[in-house]
């Protein structure tokens, strides 16, 4: 009996293992199959309303769509940049309506919530769907279910479908201008410095700002430098102005900054050689090169295969002023005159200076604020003797006296063209104010 028993145990074990592995294989097959687009309707026209807002809530307010982008770097997919509740959103489906053959395809999305959520319940997400092989859909709709009526769903235009040649070298992305932003003088100085350094485009995700600031933005939009993306995130979610969650009932960090930055990378992927991710009070100052173009040429030559360049942030406290460049006509303009702040805080022993980035947008998959999360190339730290970030704001090390700070007048190299350019902008924008 014992021999027989052993044999049947063995047979049972083999049998269980075989069935389990067969189930596993077919499960995996089903999994990958389930992401394949399937035709669900034929002989249809595409009729849903086309979404026009920057942030569109889906039914239930747990998923928000910013924009879909075509991405064929790995396989032919539509990647939607969005915001989702990290637990409540389990399934989403892309509905592709192919105008050419009248077919509607549905494919199950892979929902990839970015890892840098910092404890908030909502975070940036990539919603990625395989596209039908035999059609290049121009629009996509998103739904919790593979069933329903597509005519009721908003349609989003899929951007970046056609490869373009670069129209600009550098685009600066400024995420989330908010809180009645009124630092007008510093903003104009930053803009003029970016232009001096070689920037042709600045994209600003604007939540809100002062009336005067609106005038300045209007000037730069007409000039062709600025593109404003409306960012009414607080009409959908309770936003925090802190970057990490403080158990205060807010939904998302820092006005959804991370989502805006990711959108900005994809939005400029086809048109800009480089994308610069920094705040409006930060300027990457080259120390060996006259501008960013020559600096980046040299950095790329020295770092083959690198797509992300990280620059070290240095704080120039706005409380320590120098009398040089106290320009009387500027004193009536709200905001900081950066030319008067040329003392920077020293490095601290156990604190790393945060970094900001210049990236090749075509090599980035997901970005955070101070580093990329996923990219095709390498990242490199740019040494301090090549460039530093001039960041004029409230001090981070208390109110250190002038003697404890380091005098650094790199910015003054640009004084004459900066002053001339700022005066030009002020004369055009401030005169309009008096009317
Ligand atoms: C979604 O939010 C809108 C306002 O933004 C509100 O009117 C609506 O009731 C919300 N829907 C749900 C299901 O919570
Ligand atoms: C801008 O936002 C602030 C709060 O951050 C609010 O007090 C102010 O009314 C808003 N201004 C406009 C013009 O919406
Ligand atoms: C600039 O000069 C004016 C007088 O000419 C003075 O009142 C003001 O405090 C100075 N500002 C700074 C920041 O030094
Ligand atoms: C301002 O720039 C000019 C050249 O453009 C330079 O000669 C001058 O030294 C600069 N001023 C200061 C205070 O650095």
């Amino acid at each position: 009996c014992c021999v027989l028993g052993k044999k049947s145990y063995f047979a049972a074990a083999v049998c269980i293992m075989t069935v389990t592995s067969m189930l596993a294989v077919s499960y995996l097959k089903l999994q990958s199959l389930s992401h394949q687009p399937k035709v669900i309707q034929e002989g249809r026209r595409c009729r849903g309303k086309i979404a026009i807002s920057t942030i569109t809530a889906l039914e239930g307010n747990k998923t928000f769509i910013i924009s879909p982008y075509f991405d064929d770097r790995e396989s032919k997919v539509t990647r939607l940049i969005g915001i989702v509740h990290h637990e409540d959103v389990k399934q989403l489906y892309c509905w592709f309506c192919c105008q050419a053959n009248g077919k509607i395809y549905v494919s199950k999305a892979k929902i990839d919530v970015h890892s840098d959520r910092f404890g908030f319940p909502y975070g940036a997400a990539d919603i990625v769907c395989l596209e039908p092989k035999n059609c290049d859909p121009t629009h996509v709709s998103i739904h919790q279910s593979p069933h329903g009526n597509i005519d009721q769903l908003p349609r989003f235009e899929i951007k970046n479908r056609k490869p373009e040649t670069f129209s600009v070298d550098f685009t600066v992305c400024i995420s989330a201008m908010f809180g009645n932003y009124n630092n007008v003088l510093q903003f104009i100085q930053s803009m003029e410095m970016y232009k001096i350094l070689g920037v042709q485009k600045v994209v600003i995700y604007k939540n809100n700002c002062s009336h005067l600031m609106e005038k300045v933005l209007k000037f730069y939009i007409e000039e062709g430098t600025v593109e404003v993306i409306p960012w009414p995130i607080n009409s959908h979610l309770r936003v925090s102005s802190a970057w990490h969650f403080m158990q205060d009932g807010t939904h998302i960090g820092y006005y959804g900054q991370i989502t805006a930055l990711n959108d900005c990378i994809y939005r400029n992927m086809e048109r800009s050689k480089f994308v610069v991710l920094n705040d409006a009070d930060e300027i990457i100052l080259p120390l060996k090169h006259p501008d960013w173009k020559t600096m980046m040429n040299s950095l790329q030559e020295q770092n083959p295969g690198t797509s992300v360049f990280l620059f070290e942030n240095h704080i120039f406290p706005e409380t320590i002023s120098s009398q040089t460049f106290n320009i009387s006509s500027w004193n009536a303009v709200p905001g900081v005159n950066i030319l008067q702040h040329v003392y920077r805080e020293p490095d601290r022993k156990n604190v790393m200076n945060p970094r900001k980035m210049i990236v090749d947008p075509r090599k980035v998959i997901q970005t955070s604020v101070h580093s990329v999360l996923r990219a095709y190339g390498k990242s490199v730290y740019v040494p301090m003797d090549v460039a530093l970030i001039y960041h004029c704001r409230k001090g981070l090390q208390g109110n250190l006296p002038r003697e404890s700070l380091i005098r650094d007048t790199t910015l003054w190299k640009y004084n004459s063209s900066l002053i001339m350019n700022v005066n030009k902008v002020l004369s055009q924008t401030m005169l309009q104010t008096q009317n």
Side-chain angles (χ1 to χ4, degrees):
C1 82
C2 296
V3 175
L4 242 185
K6 257 190 196 161
K7 257 193 190 161
S8 50
Y9 277 137
F10 181 70
V14 168
C15 188
I16 288 170
M17 272 161 56
T18 314
V19 170
T20 318
S21 53
M22 273 165 62
L23 278 176
V25 167
S26 52
Y27 175 74
L28 286 177
K29 258 194 193 153
L30 265 178
Q31 275 287 313
S32 68
L33 261 184
S34 75
H35 289 276
Q36 291 295 331
K38 285 190 240 340
V39 178
I40 59 152
Q41 279 170 22
E42 298 195 45
R44 289 292 308 265
R45 309 192 54 161
C46 311
R47 269 196 293 242
K49 224 189 224 158
I50 292 177
I52 45 162
S53 1
T54 332
I55 306 175
T56 305
L58 299 190
E59 203 182 274
N61 296 338
K62 299 285 186 183
T63 302
F64 302 90
I65 302 297
I66 313 305
S67 181
Y69 296 96
F70 176 60
D71 184 353
D72 64 350
R73 292 175 295 178
E74 286 175 37
S75 47
K76 189 178 174 241
V77 302
T78 296
R79 177 189 302 274
L80 292 102
I81 304 294
I83 296 171
V84 302
H85 188 286
H86 75 112
E87 284 172 340
D88 295 354
V89 180
K90 296 247 165 36
Q91 281 188 20
L92 291 171
Y93 294 84
C94 289
W95 292 50
F96 294 107
C97 182
C98 291
Q99 203 79 253
N101 62 10
K103 288 182 181 158
I104 293 171
Y105 296 81
V106 169
S107 45
K108 187 174 178 202
K110 204 174 121 263
I111 305 168
D112 189 354
V113 184
H114 292 204
S115 54
D116 53 348
R117 203 169 30 82
F118 302 115
F120 290 95
Y122 285 80
D126 291 354
I127 299 161
V128 183
C129 290
L130 287 171
E131 291 188 351
K133 288 205 171 62
N134 47 357
C135 114
D136 294 325
T138 54
H139 294 77
V140 65
S141 301
I142 299 291
H143 196 38
Q144 285 103 321
S145 159
H147 312 289
N149 182 356
I150 191 172
D151 295 346
Q152 306 298 317
L153 304 174
R155 284 198 287 157
F156 300 91
E157 190 198 344
I158 303 171
K159 299 193 175 97
N160 295 356
R161 173 69 64 188
K162 291 189 202 78
E164 286 170 38
T165 48
F166 305 128
S167 46
V168 302
D169 287 322
F170 294 98
T171 298
V172 175
C173 295
I174 307 278
S175 63
M177 173 177 282
F178 61 89
N180 251 330
Y181 186 93
N182 193 36
N183 193 350
V184 176
L185 184 57
Q186 185 169 2
F187 178 86
I188 295 173
Q189 288 183 310
S190 288
M191 288 293 299
E192 295 308 319
M193 277 306 297
Y194 299 153
K195 282 157 61 183
I196 288 169
L197 293 167
V199 169
Q200 296 101 324
K201 191 116 218 153
V202 179
V203 180
I204 297 169
Y205 289 73
K206 191 192 82 179
N207 183 260
N208 98 3
C209 66
S210 71
H211 188 60
L212 183 59
M213 194 59 214
E214 295 278 4
K215 296 222 159 189
V216 171
L217 287 178
K218 184 163 170 279
F219 169 85
Y220 281 116
I221 292 168
E222 280 165 9
E223 186 189 71
T225 315
V226 162
E227 179 180 352
V228 167
I229 313 286
W231 194 247
I233 180 133
N234 52 341
S235 42
H236 298 286
L237 292 169
R238 280 198 296 279
V239 292
S240 170
S241 41
W243 60 272
H244 68 293
F245 189 45
M246 311 227 258
Q247 312 289 336
D248 55 358
T250 53
H251 291 136
I252 193 161
Y254 212 71
Y255 280 74
Q257 174 190 33
I258 289 167
T259 315
L261 290 178
N262 279 277
D263 182 69
C264 199
I265 295 235
Y266 281 90
R267 197 176 279 265
N268 293 289
M269 203 167 257
E270 298 290 336
R271 59 188 186 196
S272 193
K273 187 159 185 235
F274 293 105
V275 166
V276 187
L277 304 179
N278 64 208
D279 294 339
D281 54 4
E282 295 171 329
I283 304 162
I284 296 171
L285 290 181
L287 301 176
K288 290 181 172 168
H289 305 89
D291 54 33
W292 286 354
K293 193 169 181 165
T294 50
M295 176 182 73
M296 290 312 293
N297 278 344
S298 139
L299 284 173
Q300 279 195 311
E301 222 164 79
Q302 287 161 26
N303 301 278
T306 300
S307 49
V308 176
F309 298 86
L310 297 137
F311 297 84
E312 224 180 274
N313 205 320
H314 288 272
I315 305 292
F316 290 69
E318 59 191 25
T319 40
I320 304 292
S321 318
S322 112
Q323 275 311 311
T324 321
F325 300 117
N326 183 353
I327 299 163
S328 60
S329 62
W330 292 7
N331 287 330
V333 184
V336 175
N337 171 9
I338 57 174
L339 280 170
Q340 287 192 275
H341 304 284
V342 288
Y343 289 85
R344 66 175 154 87
E345 290 186 341
D347 290 342
R348 285 170 285 180
K349 243 202 183 117
N350 300 311
V351 182
M352 281 257 295
N353 295 319
R355 292 170 187 264
K356 291 292 175 76
M357 301 179 279
I358 298 183
V359 304
D360 172 351
R362 288 162 308 285
K363 298 287 168 56
V364 175
I365 307 168
Q366 285 183 354
T367 192
S368 187
V369 180
H370 305 290
S371 65
V372 295
L373 298 179
R374 293 175 59 206
Y376 296 113
K378 287 181 285 193
S379 294
V380 73
Y381 282 179
V382 177
M384 260 290 271
D385 63 333
V386 176
L388 60 70
I389 301 180
Y390 173 93
H391 187 180
C392 182
R393 53 159 287 163
K394 208 165 125 249
L396 283 186
Q397 302 181 36
N399 282 325
L400 286 181
R402 192 180 300 252
E403 304 78 63
S404 312
L405 300 174
I406 300 157
R407 187 177 150 93
D408 180 338
T409 57
T410 310
L411 186 67
W412 283 359
K413 266 200 306 198
Y414 305 92
N415 78 74
S416 49
S417 39
L418 181 59
I419 292 170
M420 196 174 69
N421 297 358
V422 169
N423 279 335
K424 237 186 262 168
V425 180
L426 288 179
S427 72
Q428 296 192 44
T429 50
M430 301 302 141
L431 278 180
Q432 288 169 7
T433 315
Q434 282 154 19
N435 290 339

